[in-house]
Amino acid sequence: MDTYRLALIGFGNVGQGFTQILRDRGRMIADQFGLQLVIVAVSDLLKGSLYDPQGLDPAALLAAVGATGRIDGLAAPEHGWDALRTISESNADAVVELSYTDLQTGEPAITHLRRAIESGKHVVTTNKGPVALRYPELKALADARGVEIGVEGTVMSGTPSLRLGSELLAGAGVQRVQGILNGTTNYILTQMEAGATYGDALADAQARGYAEADPTGDVEGFDAAGKVVILANLLLGASLTMADVDRTGITALTPQDVAAAQAGGERWKLIAKVERRDGRVEASVRPTRLPVAHPLAAVSGATNAITFTTDLLGDVTLIGPGAGRLETGYALLGDLLALHRKRGG
């Protein structure tokens, strides 16, 4: 039985979803895979911090945050450590980095990941910022220190798009990857096709929790652009930046545009695409009219989907959730299981 001690940096929805998985399925994971996952530290700017080298009870963590919104009322040898001290001084084998996403600077997550790697700890994260902006640098540092980086959850939550492309399709000759990588905009477009205006569809998405109060990151395509950079760099060996993505959002689409597409047997989707062309890799995010028979055209609501165009298999399409508390928490579990297998588990 292998044991991985974990330090969680951030305890929002994803951290709590992951903790719920360990609470409910920890014994099954140990029995089935020979892997015991033990949370030893949690550090969250709003909910508090605590560290117990012997381990923290997932059920107690969830009960505390559910009752009071904080975790630092629980008994533990140490309280109040900030993120960097937690990373450096805890006995964690792996750091689970779940701080807020910043696609302009990548901070504070870049600093967290670098500190963890330099401390000889593996890292898993669902944070797009550091992966879109600094992955080659962080991966080189991890390789030099003999540790692993898990980033599956940065593109399609728990739906294993990166693992499918980088492992299972690695020999198939992937030439193009395109997908619906933002559930908020797909929900809005689905509602517009049903007759809603853009404004009404956005308000509905906000009421359902799909869209933030400031939806710019989603509706202007920045979120999808970060994901397409990750796909380009990790799957096609490119070195693109956010500035290299030809990006257009959905805010200019009108009911007339939607009606025109319907009349032509087509459907609007915000398509994130990366492809090899004339010896270089090009990336874009833009509203696109797809024939209704296209696999991506049938994907409605907040669901995500991705199509890999390959030399040997043609098109391979994967459809699944691109967000969610348990769904994204599962991406972390998937990365830790992959780490366990790679390290001889």
Side-chain angles (χ1 to χ4, degrees), residues 85-118:
R85 185 176 180 189
T86 300
I87 292 167
S88 299
E89 298 186 26
S90 72
N91 67 340
D93 304 297
V95 171
V96 182
E97 209 292 329
L98 304 171
S99 67
Y100 59 86
T101 295
D102 185 325
L103 278 168
Q104 293 184 305
T105 70
E107 296 293 357
I110 289 173
T111 296
H112 293 163
L113 295 181
R114 186 181 289 121
R115 175 68 63 87
I117 293 166
E118 290 172 345

mmCIF file of all heavy atoms in Angstrom, residues 85-118:
data_model
loop_
_atom_site.group_PDB
_atom_site.id
_atom_site.type_symbol
_atom_site.label_atom_id
_atom_site.label_comp_id
_atom_site.label_asym_id
_atom_site.label_seq_id
_atom_site.Cartn_x
_atom_site.Cartn_y
_atom_site.Cartn_z
ATOM 1 N N ARG A 85 4.244 28.589 3.433
ATOM 2 C CA ARG A 85 4.755 27.825 4.575
ATOM 3 C C ARG A 85 4.173 26.408 4.559
ATOM 4 O O ARG A 85 4.876 25.433 4.856
ATOM 5 C CB ARG A 85 4.416 28.529 5.889
ATOM 6 C CG ARG A 85 5.053 27.821 7.087
ATOM 7 C CD ARG A 85 4.821 28.550 8.388
ATOM 8 N NE ARG A 85 5.458 27.825 9.480
ATOM 9 C CZ ARG A 85 5.288 28.132 10.775
ATOM 10 N NH1 ARG A 85 4.515 29.155 11.126
ATOM 11 N NH2 ARG A 85 5.901 27.413 11.699
ATOM 12 N N THR A 86 2.891 26.304 4.214
ATOM 13 C CA THR A 86 2.262 24.990 4.131
ATOM 14 C C THR A 86 2.980 24.115 3.109
ATOM 15 O O THR A 86 3.257 22.934 3.352
ATOM 16 C CB THR A 86 0.781 25.135 3.749
ATOM 17 O OG1 THR A 86 0.106 25.916 4.747
ATOM 18 C CG2 THR A 86 0.104 23.783 3.624
ATOM 19 N N ILE A 87 3.290 24.699 1.954
ATOM 20 C CA ILE A 87 3.981 23.954 0.904
ATOM 21 C C ILE A 87 5.370 23.533 1.356
ATOM 22 O O ILE A 87 5.791 22.384 1.184
ATOM 23 C CB ILE A 87 4.055 24.805 -0.380
ATOM 24 C CG1 ILE A 87 2.657 24.993 -0.976
ATOM 25 C CG2 ILE A 87 4.996 24.164 -1.402
ATOM 26 C CD1 ILE A 87 2.577 26.060 -2.048
ATOM 27 N N SER A 88 6.091 24.457 1.962
ATOM 28 C CA SER A 88 7.495 24.213 2.297
ATOM 29 C C SER A 88 7.673 23.314 3.514
ATOM 30 O O SER A 88 8.553 22.444 3.530
ATOM 31 C CB SER A 88 8.208 25.543 2.553
ATOM 32 O OG SER A 88 8.195 26.368 1.424
ATOM 33 N N GLU A 89 6.858 23.523 4.557
ATOM 34 C CA GLU A 89 7.141 22.904 5.847
ATOM 35 C C GLU A 89 6.266 21.700 6.183
ATOM 36 O O GLU A 89 6.573 20.969 7.133
ATOM 37 C CB GLU A 89 7.024 23.955 6.961
ATOM 38 C CG GLU A 89 8.035 25.092 6.815
ATOM 39 C CD GLU A 89 8.018 26.043 7.989
ATOM 40 O OE1 GLU A 89 7.641 25.624 9.108
ATOM 41 O OE2 GLU A 89 8.360 27.224 7.793
ATOM 42 N N SER A 90 5.197 21.487 5.441
ATOM 43 C CA SER A 90 4.377 20.310 5.719
ATOM 44 C C SER A 90 5.108 19.059 5.226
ATOM 45 O O SER A 90 6.062 19.138 4.443
ATOM 46 C CB SER A 90 3.019 20.420 5.024
ATOM 47 O OG SER A 90 3.161 20.243 3.620
ATOM 48 N N ASN A 91 4.639 17.914 5.679
ATOM 49 C CA ASN A 91 5.256 16.649 5.260
ATOM 50 C C ASN A 91 4.556 16.062 4.035
ATOM 51 O O ASN A 91 4.644 14.863 3.771
ATOM 52 C CB ASN A 91 5.244 15.637 6.405
ATOM 53 C CG ASN A 91 3.836 15.171 6.778
ATOM 54 O OD1 ASN A 91 2.845 15.841 6.468
ATOM 55 N ND2 ASN A 91 3.735 14.040 7.465
ATOM 56 N N ALA A 92 3.858 16.912 3.282
ATOM 57 C CA ALA A 92 3.119 16.450 2.109
ATOM 58 C C ALA A 92 4.063 15.881 1.058
ATOM 59 O O ALA A 92 5.169 16.389 0.850
ATOM 60 C CB ALA A 92 2.305 17.589 1.508
ATOM 61 N N ASP A 93 3.603 14.838 0.391
ATOM 62 C CA ASP A 93 4.311 14.300 -0.773
ATOM 63 C C ASP A 93 3.876 15.011 -2.052
ATOM 64 O O ASP A 93 4.638 15.069 -3.016
ATOM 65 C CB ASP A 93 4.006 12.809 -0.925
ATOM 66 C CG ASP A 93 4.350 12.025 0.320
ATOM 67 O OD1 ASP A 93 5.533 11.987 0.688
ATOM 68 O OD2 ASP A 93 3.419 11.454 0.932
ATOM 69 N N ALA A 94 2.643 15.511 -2.053
ATOM 70 C CA ALA A 94 2.095 16.177 -3.232
ATOM 71 C C ALA A 94 1.285 17.396 -2.797
ATOM 72 O O ALA A 94 0.586 17.358 -1.779
ATOM 73 C CB ALA A 94 1.213 15.229 -4.030
ATOM 74 N N VAL A 95 1.402 18.461 -3.563
ATOM 75 C CA VAL A 95 0.640 19.686 -3.326
ATOM 76 C C VAL A 95 -0.482 19.753 -4.352
ATOM 77 O O VAL A 95 -0.259 19.602 -5.555
ATOM 78 C CB VAL A 95 1.546 20.928 -3.441
ATOM 79 C CG1 VAL A 95 0.718 22.208 -3.422
ATOM 80 C CG2 VAL A 95 2.565 20.933 -2.303
ATOM 81 N N VAL A 96 -1.700 19.964 -3.864
ATOM 82 C CA VAL A 96 -2.879 20.096 -4.706
ATOM 83 C C VAL A 96 -3.198 21.588 -4.776
ATOM 84 O O VAL A 96 -3.720 22.160 -3.819
ATOM 85 C CB VAL A 96 -4.059 19.289 -4.134
ATOM 86 C CG1 VAL A 96 -5.278 19.400 -5.046
ATOM 87 C CG2 VAL A 96 -3.672 17.822 -3.950
ATOM 88 N N GLU A 97 -2.842 22.227 -5.896
ATOM 89 C CA GLU A 97 -2.930 23.687 -6.007
ATOM 90 C C GLU A 97 -4.271 24.084 -6.600
ATOM 91 O O GLU A 97 -4.576 23.799 -7.750
ATOM 92 C CB GLU A 97 -1.787 24.214 -6.885
ATOM 93 C CG GLU A 97 -1.333 25.625 -6.534
ATOM 94 C CD GLU A 97 -2.350 26.712 -6.828
ATOM 95 O OE1 GLU A 97 -3.140 26.559 -7.779
ATOM 96 O OE2 GLU A 97 -2.348 27.730 -6.119
ATOM 97 N N LEU A 98 -5.086 24.795 -5.785
ATOM 98 C CA LEU A 98 -6.451 25.131 -6.165
ATOM 99 C C LEU A 98 -6.772 26.588 -5.883
ATOM 100 O O LEU A 98 -7.912 26.923 -5.561
ATOM 101 C CB LEU A 98 -7.435 24.218 -5.409
ATOM 102 C CG LEU A 98 -7.216 22.716 -5.594
ATOM 103 C CD1 LEU A 98 -8.089 21.927 -4.632
ATOM 104 C CD2 LEU A 98 -7.482 22.305 -7.033
ATOM 105 N N SER A 99 -5.780 27.454 -5.985
ATOM 106 C CA SER A 99 -6.043 28.869 -5.774
ATOM 107 C C SER A 99 -6.805 29.430 -6.978
ATOM 108 O O SER A 99 -7.006 28.754 -7.984
ATOM 109 C CB SER A 99 -4.736 29.628 -5.559
ATOM 110 O OG SER A 99 -3.944 29.627 -6.738
ATOM 111 N N TYR A 100 -7.216 30.689 -6.897
ATOM 112 C CA TYR A 100 -8.016 31.274 -7.973
ATOM 113 C C TYR A 100 -7.177 31.408 -9.251
ATOM 114 O O TYR A 100 -5.952 31.519 -9.218
ATOM 115 C CB TYR A 100 -8.563 32.634 -7.549
ATOM 116 C CG TYR A 100 -7.505 33.656 -7.188
ATOM 117 C CD1 TYR A 100 -6.909 34.460 -8.164
ATOM 118 C CD2 TYR A 100 -7.100 33.831 -5.869
ATOM 119 C CE1 TYR A 100 -5.937 35.388 -7.837
ATOM 120 C CE2 TYR A 100 -6.132 34.759 -5.529
ATOM 121 C CZ TYR A 100 -5.563 35.529 -6.518
ATOM 122 O OH TYR A 100 -4.596 36.454 -6.190
ATOM 123 N N THR A 101 -7.878 31.388 -10.384
ATOM 124 C CA THR A 101 -7.217 31.427 -11.688
ATOM 125 C C THR A 101 -7.019 32.856 -12.153
ATOM 126 O O THR A 101 -7.946 33.665 -12.116
ATOM 127 C CB THR A 101 -8.057 30.665 -12.727
ATOM 128 O OG1 THR A 101 -8.094 29.286 -12.371
ATOM 129 C CG2 THR A 101 -7.458 30.798 -14.121
ATOM 130 N N ASP A 102 -5.805 33.161 -12.601
ATOM 131 C CA ASP A 102 -5.481 34.454 -13.200
ATOM 132 C C ASP A 102 -4.762 34.160 -14.516
ATOM 133 O O ASP A 102 -3.616 33.706 -14.511
ATOM 134 C CB ASP A 102 -4.598 35.281 -12.268
ATOM 135 C CG ASP A 102 -4.342 36.692 -12.795
ATOM 136 O OD1 ASP A 102 -4.228 36.848 -14.018
ATOM 137 O OD2 ASP A 102 -4.234 37.618 -11.984
ATOM 138 N N LEU A 103 -5.442 34.424 -15.645
ATOM 139 C CA LEU A 103 -4.858 34.122 -16.942
ATOM 140 C C LEU A 103 -3.982 35.247 -17.468
ATOM 141 O O LEU A 103 -3.445 35.153 -18.573
ATOM 142 C CB LEU A 103 -5.959 33.805 -17.953
ATOM 143 C CG LEU A 103 -6.488 32.372 -17.914
ATOM 144 C CD1 LEU A 103 -7.759 32.229 -18.740
ATOM 145 C CD2 LEU A 103 -5.431 31.386 -18.393
ATOM 146 N N GLN A 104 -3.800 36.316 -16.677
ATOM 147 C CA GLN A 104 -2.884 37.387 -17.074
ATOM 148 C C GLN A 104 -1.515 37.207 -16.449
ATOM 149 O O GLN A 104 -0.494 37.350 -17.126
ATOM 150 C CB GLN A 104 -3.469 38.748 -16.704
ATOM 151 C CG GLN A 104 -4.713 39.101 -17.508
ATOM 152 C CD GLN A 104 -5.216 40.493 -17.202
ATOM 153 O OE1 GLN A 104 -5.470 40.852 -16.052
ATOM 154 N NE2 GLN A 104 -5.366 41.302 -18.244
ATOM 155 N N THR A 105 -1.482 36.864 -15.154
ATOM 156 C CA THR A 105 -0.196 36.715 -14.469
ATOM 157 C C THR A 105 0.111 35.280 -14.051
ATOM 158 O O THR A 105 1.259 34.925 -13.833
ATOM 159 C CB THR A 105 -0.150 37.590 -13.209
ATOM 160 O OG1 THR A 105 -1.061 37.043 -12.225
ATOM 161 C CG2 THR A 105 -0.531 39.027 -13.516
ATOM 162 N N GLY A 106 -0.947 34.462 -13.901
ATOM 163 C CA GLY A 106 -0.752 33.105 -13.406
ATOM 164 C C GLY A 106 -0.503 33.011 -11.919
ATOM 165 O O GLY A 106 -0.328 31.919 -11.383
ATOM 166 N N GLU A 107 -0.496 34.139 -11.247
ATOM 167 C CA GLU A 107 -0.231 34.152 -9.808
ATOM 168 C C GLU A 107 -1.530 34.122 -9.006
ATOM 169 O O GLU A 107 -2.573 34.518 -9.505
ATOM 170 C CB GLU A 107 0.587 35.403 -9.435
ATOM 171 C CG GLU A 107 1.976 35.445 -10.051
ATOM 172 C CD GLU A 107 2.914 34.370 -9.516
ATOM 173 O OE1 GLU A 107 2.523 33.607 -8.622
ATOM 174 O OE2 GLU A 107 4.047 34.295 -10.014
ATOM 175 N N PRO A 108 -1.468 33.622 -7.763
ATOM 176 C CA PRO A 108 -0.279 33.156 -7.037
ATOM 177 C C PRO A 108 0.136 31.721 -7.354
ATOM 178 O O PRO A 108 1.080 31.199 -6.787
ATOM 179 C CB PRO A 108 -0.718 33.260 -5.580
ATOM 180 C CG PRO A 108 -2.180 32.914 -5.626
ATOM 181 C CD PRO A 108 -2.701 33.536 -6.907
ATOM 182 N N ALA A 109 -0.573 31.090 -8.299
ATOM 183 C CA ALA A 109 -0.382 29.656 -8.503
ATOM 184 C C ALA A 109 1.017 29.320 -9.015
ATOM 185 O O ALA A 109 1.597 28.298 -8.630
ATOM 186 C CB ALA A 109 -1.433 29.129 -9.468
ATOM 187 N N ILE A 110 1.587 30.178 -9.887
ATOM 188 C CA ILE A 110 2.932 29.885 -10.395
ATOM 189 C C ILE A 110 3.924 29.806 -9.247
ATOM 190 O O ILE A 110 4.744 28.882 -9.171
ATOM 191 C CB ILE A 110 3.366 30.946 -11.427
ATOM 192 C CG1 ILE A 110 2.552 30.787 -12.722
ATOM 193 C CG2 ILE A 110 4.860 30.825 -11.730
ATOM 194 C CD1 ILE A 110 2.793 31.894 -13.737
ATOM 195 N N THR A 111 3.841 30.769 -8.338
ATOM 196 C CA THR A 111 4.743 30.769 -7.179
ATOM 197 C C THR A 111 4.519 29.540 -6.316
ATOM 198 O O THR A 111 5.476 28.911 -5.838
ATOM 199 C CB THR A 111 4.536 32.047 -6.356
ATOM 200 O OG1 THR A 111 4.904 33.177 -7.167
ATOM 201 C CG2 THR A 111 5.397 32.037 -5.096
ATOM 202 N N HIS A 112 3.256 29.167 -6.120
ATOM 203 C CA HIS A 112 2.947 27.966 -5.323
ATOM 204 C C HIS A 112 3.555 26.716 -5.962
ATOM 205 O O HIS A 112 4.181 25.895 -5.282
ATOM 206 C CB HIS A 112 1.427 27.776 -5.218
ATOM 207 C CG HIS A 112 0.744 28.846 -4.429
ATOM 208 N ND1 HIS A 112 -0.622 29.052 -4.493
ATOM 209 C CD2 HIS A 112 1.215 29.776 -3.560
ATOM 210 C CE1 HIS A 112 -0.946 30.049 -3.698
ATOM 211 N NE2 HIS A 112 0.144 30.509 -3.125
ATOM 212 N N LEU A 113 3.353 26.560 -7.264
ATOM 213 C CA LEU A 113 3.848 25.362 -7.938
ATOM 214 C C LEU A 113 5.374 25.319 -7.942
ATOM 215 O O LEU A 113 5.974 24.260 -7.721
ATOM 216 C CB LEU A 113 3.307 25.298 -9.366
ATOM 217 C CG LEU A 113 1.787 25.127 -9.509
ATOM 218 C CD1 LEU A 113 1.389 25.066 -10.977
ATOM 219 C CD2 LEU A 113 1.295 23.883 -8.791
ATOM 220 N N ARG A 114 5.973 26.464 -8.196
ATOM 221 C CA ARG A 114 7.441 26.493 -8.205
ATOM 222 C C ARG A 114 7.990 26.127 -6.828
ATOM 223 O O ARG A 114 8.942 25.350 -6.716
ATOM 224 C CB ARG A 114 7.927 27.878 -8.644
ATOM 225 C CG ARG A 114 9.437 27.948 -8.831
ATOM 226 C CD ARG A 114 9.900 29.322 -9.242
ATOM 227 N NE ARG A 114 9.512 29.637 -10.609
ATOM 228 C CZ ARG A 114 8.751 30.661 -10.958
ATOM 229 N NH1 ARG A 114 8.248 31.459 -10.046
ATOM 230 N NH2 ARG A 114 8.485 30.891 -12.231
ATOM 231 N N ARG A 115 7.395 26.675 -5.782
ATOM 232 C CA ARG A 115 7.867 26.369 -4.424
ATOM 233 C C ARG A 115 7.701 24.869 -4.130
ATOM 234 O O ARG A 115 8.586 24.241 -3.532
ATOM 235 C CB ARG A 115 7.107 27.202 -3.402
ATOM 236 C CG ARG A 115 7.428 26.869 -1.932
ATOM 237 C CD ARG A 115 8.854 27.244 -1.536
ATOM 238 N NE ARG A 115 9.065 28.676 -1.630
ATOM 239 C CZ ARG A 115 8.805 29.543 -0.646
ATOM 240 N NH1 ARG A 115 8.324 29.121 0.507
ATOM 241 N NH2 ARG A 115 9.044 30.843 -0.820
ATOM 242 N N ALA A 116 6.571 24.296 -4.536
ATOM 243 C CA ALA A 116 6.339 22.878 -4.288
ATOM 244 C C ALA A 116 7.375 22.016 -5.007
ATOM 245 O O ALA A 116 7.967 21.103 -4.417
ATOM 246 C CB ALA A 116 4.931 22.492 -4.734
ATOM 247 N N ILE A 117 7.612 22.324 -6.261
ATOM 248 C CA ILE A 117 8.579 21.543 -7.043
ATOM 249 C C ILE A 117 9.974 21.681 -6.444
ATOM 250 O O ILE A 117 10.709 20.683 -6.302
ATOM 251 C CB ILE A 117 8.545 21.996 -8.511
ATOM 252 C CG1 ILE A 117 7.201 21.627 -9.146
ATOM 253 C CG2 ILE A 117 9.701 21.371 -9.297
ATOM 254 C CD1 ILE A 117 6.934 22.320 -10.478
ATOM 255 N N GLU A 118 10.352 22.888 -6.086
ATOM 256 C CA GLU A 118 11.667 23.108 -5.495
ATOM 257 C C GLU A 118 11.808 22.422 -4.147
ATOM 258 O O GLU A 118 12.922 22.109 -3.713
ATOM 259 C CB GLU A 118 11.936 24.612 -5.359
ATOM 260 C CG GLU A 118 12.151 25.296 -6.711
ATOM 261 C CD GLU A 118 12.217 26.805 -6.602
ATOM 262 O OE1 GLU A 118 11.816 27.345 -5.533
ATOM 263 O OE2 GLU A 118 12.662 27.454 -7.574
#
